[in-house]
Amino acid sequence: MGALAVCAAWAPFADPDQLGGVAAVALGVLGYSGVQLAFALGWIGGGVPAGRVRRVRQQHRLVSRSWIEIAPAAGGRPVWVPVHFDPALLTLVEQDVPAGAAPRVRSGRLFPSGPVRQAEPPGQLVDNPSRPDPDAAARGRVGRRLVLDAQSAVAAPFAALFWVYIAGGGLAVFTAACSVAAVAALWLAAIRGSDPS
């Protein structure tokens, strides 16, 4: 909602070219949010197979993301499902899950943030501890998540300079483009299921 609010705040001050850019960002935010909602509700992305599940955290470049690794009950290769972060994930221990059901945590159920993968996600996979962490609540706070997600906003001034170079404008256009690019980068990191732990 914050990304759409920033786009709406700058729209009245934009010329037609700038309004087109802001509208494109807003449509991209709405479209990808719809896709992520469809993954979270299970409308797309494939069913979750039955098996033994455990949480792993993926660290790949600046991306930190939670995954559920499922070892099928009938044997075979494990599969991985990306999930939106919930502080209760930090207390998730291995459990058996029936086919099509989502793993359960104290706060309810987990929501997928992408399709089921047959191949191991790239980067380093860090196992969840076998016992719940007593400091889990402190590591799942909003401040930590904002610090993690804000790393990708470093590119916002460069995107704004590119916009000013292409479409023209002064400091006001640079400020608007920089703020739109920053909130779009922050939104993208958060909507993909970043993990601040």
Side-chain angles (χ1 to χ4, degrees), residues 7-161:
C7 290
W10 283 111
F13 306 106
D15 67 21
D17 288 340
Q18 296 162 356
L19 186 60
V22 168
V25 170
L27 285 174
V29 166
L30 284 172
Y32 194 67
S33 294
V35 169
Q36 288 297 83
L37 180 64
F39 275 123
L41 296 177
W43 297 340
I44 60 175
V48 177
R52 186 123 183 106
V53 302
R54 68 185 182 116
R55 175 202 174 242
V56 293
R57 184 174 54 85
Q58 172 201 27
Q59 187 66 46
H60 183 60
R61 298 185 183 127
L62 291 178
V63 175
S64 181
R65 197 170 182 189
S66 287
W67 292 76
I68 298 296
E69 182 182 272
I70 304 170
R77 296 180 48 87
V79 296
W80 291 266
V81 181
V83 292
H84 287 285
F85 181 75
D86 184 318
L89 270 172
L90 301 176
T91 62
L92 179 70
V93 293
E94 285 192 36
Q95 58 182 272
D96 290 317
V97 176
R104 294 268 173 200
V105 291
R106 276 184 295 153
S107 63
R109 73 180 281 242
L110 298 175
F111 295 101
S113 64
V116 175
R117 286 182 57 116
Q118 303 297 325
E120 184 175 301
Q124 179 184 6
L125 296 181
V126 181
D127 288 339
N128 204 38
S130 59
R131 287 181 287 172
D133 184 1
D135 298 328
R139 292 191 297 138
R141 293 210 173 121
V142 174
R144 278 183 66 112
R145 185 164 191 171
L146 284 174
V147 168
L148 173 69
D149 294 346
Q151 294 177 37
S152 56
V154 170
F158 300 106
L161 282 174

